[in-house]
């Protein structure tokens, strides 16, 4: 039999174990997996993966590309540069967010975003549906059903940022959770106590510089919201997924809720696992602004422990890229400071180096958090997130011995700094393969003129 691609002899994370095998690809799918042998099968391309580590393609469950900030103003990475960075970093599918706004239906929000991305991405993609202004939405449950039918079973809500029209009341959250529970959908929540953050922001912004960010967003504002929304989810009977958890206390609440049998899941990000508030010191401190903010080394350690123990389920980027010029326009006032960090190109390398190589987490567990769990929770499994017969032939193949110093100048993000600048990282992929096509090799796109990413319809989320 002839194949389109054979990945030969790599150490492969398969079935939660690491084994040596040959992987045969036909028509973009994994057609055969067997022990390494002197193969007699033919293929138009053979990748010699001996000495390399073969992982499923990474799924970034939380990305923002071409995020609209205001009239004519967007984040720095559009779908082209963002997905290029993602591909060069080992990501084969990202899930971004729809845009919504007063009077815009959920389905229009989804269609508009799919149109913006289609034909411009090097990786596959999907969107979570933003669910803001619940009280003013016309027949919200019916609109949610329409979105689910269109292949989007996950919705995003906020417990903060009322001034930007994002904050949901407890009643809205409860009603949305109830509707989602009935529809088999999943509500994803950005959990921070917006009332307290607004109060503290008014107290500290304007005269405390970047230190106003951690002062106005203490860890307790996140942990309280995680506790409250977990309780709302439990009362509604529906599952909930917390995005970008930053505090050890929040991970403890997630663990406790899960121990009590509540359907609560949590995501964290490399910046919360490995960077801390000391980054705010110095003249570039404001470049590290994100919400929730970077916390302490104790929080880093607590999050790694929760990740390794299976108490948190997903590591994602929350990629939200700004240039120095965009950040520098803040004028010392955090109310004017754009929040978010680039992270797509460094997701795998930071998690591999600072997690696996540093001894915090086993490679098999990391692969669950970067691949299988986001695929299962976000409704992409078993097509994505796993090396298995019939799955899409999506791989991130790394040379575990090869390291590189992070330098934003060599990366595909459309920005002029990296929060990881100068760090020696392992785990940048030698090859990123999407549906059998090598889309990036050694940190460069293989075919920049051919963005082959496709919108992925997703099915019912699994509760892990
Ligand atoms: O600071 C961040 N995380 N910006 C991105 C938007 C969000 O809240 O996820
Ligand atoms: Zn958020
Ligand atoms: Zn986000």
């Amino acid at each position: 039999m002839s194949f389109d691609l054979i990945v030969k002899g790599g150490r492969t994370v398969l079935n939660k174990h690491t084994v040596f095998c040959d992987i045969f690809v036909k028509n973009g799918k994994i057609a055969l997996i067997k022990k390494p042998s002197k193969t007699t099968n033919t293929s138009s391309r053979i990748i010699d993966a001996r000495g390399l580590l073969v992982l499923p393609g990474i799924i970034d469950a939380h990305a923002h590309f071409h995020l609209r900030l205001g009239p004519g103003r967007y984040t720095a990475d559009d779908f082209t540069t963002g997905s290029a960075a993602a591909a060069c970093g080992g990501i084969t599918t990202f899930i971004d967010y729809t845009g919504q706004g007063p009077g815009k239906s959920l389905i229009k929000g989804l269609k508009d975003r799919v149109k913006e991305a289609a034909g411009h991405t090097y990786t596959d993609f999907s969107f979570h549906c933003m669910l803001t202004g619940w009280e003013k939405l016309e027949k919200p449950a019916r609109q949610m059903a329409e979105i689910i039918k269109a292949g989007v079973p996950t919705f995003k809500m906020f417990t903060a940022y009322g001034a930007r029209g994002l904050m949901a009341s407890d009643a809205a959250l409860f009603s949305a959770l109830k509707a989602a529970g009935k529809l088999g959908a999943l509500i994803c929540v950005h959990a921070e106590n917006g009332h307290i953050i607004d109060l503290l922001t008014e107290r500290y912004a304007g005269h405390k510089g970047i230190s106003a960010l951690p002062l106005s967003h203490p860890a307790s504002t996140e942990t309280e919201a995680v506790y409250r929304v977990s309780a709302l989810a439990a009362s509604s009977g529906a599952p909930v997924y917390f995005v970008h958890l930053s505090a050890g206390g929040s991970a403890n609440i997630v663990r406790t809720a899960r121990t009590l049998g509540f359907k609560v899941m949590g995501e964290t990000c490399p910046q919360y696992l490995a960077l801390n508030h000391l980054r705010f010191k110095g003249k570039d401190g404001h470049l590290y602004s994100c919400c929730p903010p970077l916390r302490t080394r104790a929080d880093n350690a607590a999050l790694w422990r929760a990740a390794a123990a299976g108490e948190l389920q997903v590591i994602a980027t929350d990629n939200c890229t700004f240039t120095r010029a965009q950040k520098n326009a803040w004028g010392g006032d955090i109310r004017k400071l754009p929040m978010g960090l680039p992270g797509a190109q460094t997701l795998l390398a930071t998690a591999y180096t600072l997690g696996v190589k540093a001894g915090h987490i086993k490679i098999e567990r990391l692969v669950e958090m970067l691949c299988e769990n986001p695929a299962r929770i976000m409704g992409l499994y078993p097509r994505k997130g796993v090396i298995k017969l019939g799955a899409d032939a999506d791989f991130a193949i790394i040379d575990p011995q090869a390291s590189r110093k992070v330098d934003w100048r060599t990366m595909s993000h459309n920005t002029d700094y990296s929060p990881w600048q100068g760090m020696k990282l392992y785990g940048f992929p030698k090859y990123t393969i999407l549906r059998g096509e090598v889309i990036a090799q050694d940190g460069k796109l293989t075919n920049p003129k051919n963005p082959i990413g496709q919108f992925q319809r997703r099915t019912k989320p699994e509760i892990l």
Side-chain angles (χ1 to χ4, degrees):
M1 184 166 176
S2 79
F3 295 92
D4 306 323
L5 171 71
I6 307 176
V7 179
K8 274 197 69 60
R11 232 176 94 225
T12 305
V13 179
L14 194 76
N15 254 338
K16 306 190 194 306
H17 292 99
T18 307
V19 296
F20 289 93
C21 65
D22 294 344
I23 305 167
F24 298 76
V25 175
K26 181 94 186 159
N27 298 328
K29 300 273 184 196
I30 298 172
L32 179 68
I33 303 171
K34 57 179 198 175
K35 283 197 181 140
S37 63
K38 275 205 175 140
T39 181
T40 48
N41 300 99
T42 56
S43 169
S44 50
R45 176 151 197 197
I46 295 178
I47 288 179
D48 182 358
R50 285 171 303 173
L52 305 182
L53 183 57
V54 182
L55 314 176
I58 310 303
I59 296 172
D60 183 3
H62 186 160
H64 304 274
F65 300 132
H66 200 241
L67 173 63
R68 189 173 180 275
L69 308 167
R73 294 191 306 120
Y74 292 87
T75 50
D77 272 323
D78 59 15
F79 286 107
T80 304
T81 62
S83 69
C88 292
I91 293 168
T92 49
T93 306
F94 67 83
I95 311 179
D96 201 311
Y97 294 83
T98 66
Q100 213 197 313
K104 196 177 199 180
S105 71
L106 300 186
I107 197 75
K108 173 92 169 84
L110 173 62
K111 284 183 177 163
D112 286 351
R113 283 293 269 170
V114 173
K115 211 186 278 174
E116 281 175 32
H120 297 289
T121 72
Y122 298 98
T123 69
D124 284 345
F125 65 95
S126 179
F127 294 98
H128 303 283
C129 179
M130 287 281 272
L131 203 50
T132 55
W134 175 267
E135 286 86 355
K136 292 201 182 115
L137 274 179
E138 209 175 298
K139 298 198 171 60
R142 194 183 288 181
Q143 291 203 51
M144 287 171 77
E146 192 180 13
I147 290 285
I148 294 165
K149 220 166 141 204
V152 169
T154 50
F155 297 83
K156 166 97 176 271
M157 298 182 84
F158 291 77
T159 60
Y161 310 112
R164 282 155 49 203
L166 298 176
M167 186 158 97
S169 66
D170 288 355
L173 277 157
F174 182 79
S175 306
L177 283 160
K178 268 269 179 217
K182 276 199 195 128
L183 293 164
L186 178 64
I187 302 285
C188 306
V189 178
H190 172 136
E192 290 185 287
N193 185 317
H195 298 294
I196 305 302
I197 288 172
D198 289 348
L199 185 95
L200 295 176
T201 300
E202 284 318 304
R203 182 176 302 169
Y204 296 118
H207 64 284
K208 286 271 186 196
I210 190 59
S211 61
L213 182 59
L215 283 170
S216 57
H217 294 63
S220 54
T221 53
E222 179 184 87
T223 304
E224 182 277 335
V226 170
Y227 178 84
R228 178 164 37 101
V229 176
S230 296
L232 291 174
S235 320
S236 77
V240 69
Y241 173 95
F242 291 105
V243 297
H244 56 47
L245 293 179
S246 65
S250 306
N252 286 343
I253 298 295
V254 169
R255 181 187 62 225
T256 307
R258 292 169 64 82
T259 309
L260 291 169
F262 301 166
K263 295 176 249 175
V264 174
M265 295 172 279
E267 162 199 293
T268 188
C269 315
Q271 56 272 32
Y272 301 123
L273 288 159
L275 299 179
N276 65 57
H277 61 108
L278 297 177
R279 298 270 168 168
F280 295 134
K281 292 197 182 303
K283 76 169 182 22
D284 281 347
H286 65 294
L287 298 182
Y288 293 88
S289 60
C290 55
C291 279
L294 303 180
R295 306 230 181 255
T296 66
R297 287 173 75 104
D299 289 295
N300 298 156
L303 292 171
W304 273 126
R305 198 208 54 74
E311 294 160 11
L312 295 177
Q313 287 64 50
V314 172
I315 300 177
T317 64
D318 193 13
N319 184 99
C320 191
T321 312
F322 295 94
T323 60
R324 276 175 184 268
Q326 283 175 301
K327 292 257 185 189
N328 286 348
W330 75 312
D333 183 341
I334 61 151
R335 289 168 296 197
K336 298 187 190 131
L337 183 55
M339 299 292 166
L341 302 173
Q345 197 156 346
T346 46
L347 170 63
L348 174 57
T350 48
Y352 181 74
T353 308
L354 306 166
V356 177
K357 285 203 81 88
H360 289 298
I361 191 168
K362 293 219 157 51
I363 183 65
E364 294 81 3
R365 173 76 196 127
L366 182 66
V367 166
E368 278 182 333
M369 295 190 81
L370 292 174
C371 309
E372 181 169 338
N373 288 357
R376 286 183 183 274
I377 295 171
M378 302 305 166
L380 288 162
Y381 188 88
R383 188 167 80 247
K384 304 242 179 232
V386 68
I387 297 175
K388 185 182 168 121
L389 282 190
D392 280 1
D394 296 351
F395 309 106
I397 304 181
I398 67 176
D399 177 350
Q401 309 304 330
S403 66
R404 216 165 72 211
K405 256 198 182 166
V406 175
D407 187 349
W408 60 265
R409 292 173 198 87
T410 64
M411 306 220 294
S412 298
H413 285 289
N414 181 32
T415 186
D416 43 7
Y417 80 100
S418 166
W420 310 96
Q421 184 72 13
M423 224 180 247
K424 180 179 167 187
L425 295 181
Y426 294 81
F428 283 111
K430 177 137 194 68
Y431 305 97
T432 307
I433 299 175
L434 175 65
R435 289 181 270 103
E437 298 284 332
V438 178
I439 53 170
Q441 189 169 340
D442 294 316
K444 295 266 172 294
L445 291 173
T446 47
N447 200 347
K449 293 217 164 75
N450 195 15
I452 61 167
Q454 292 175 0
F455 175 69
Q456 298 293 305
R457 291 178 66 86
R458 295 184 285 128
T459 53
K460 193 174 173 196
E462 284 181 47
I463 299 151
L464 298 185

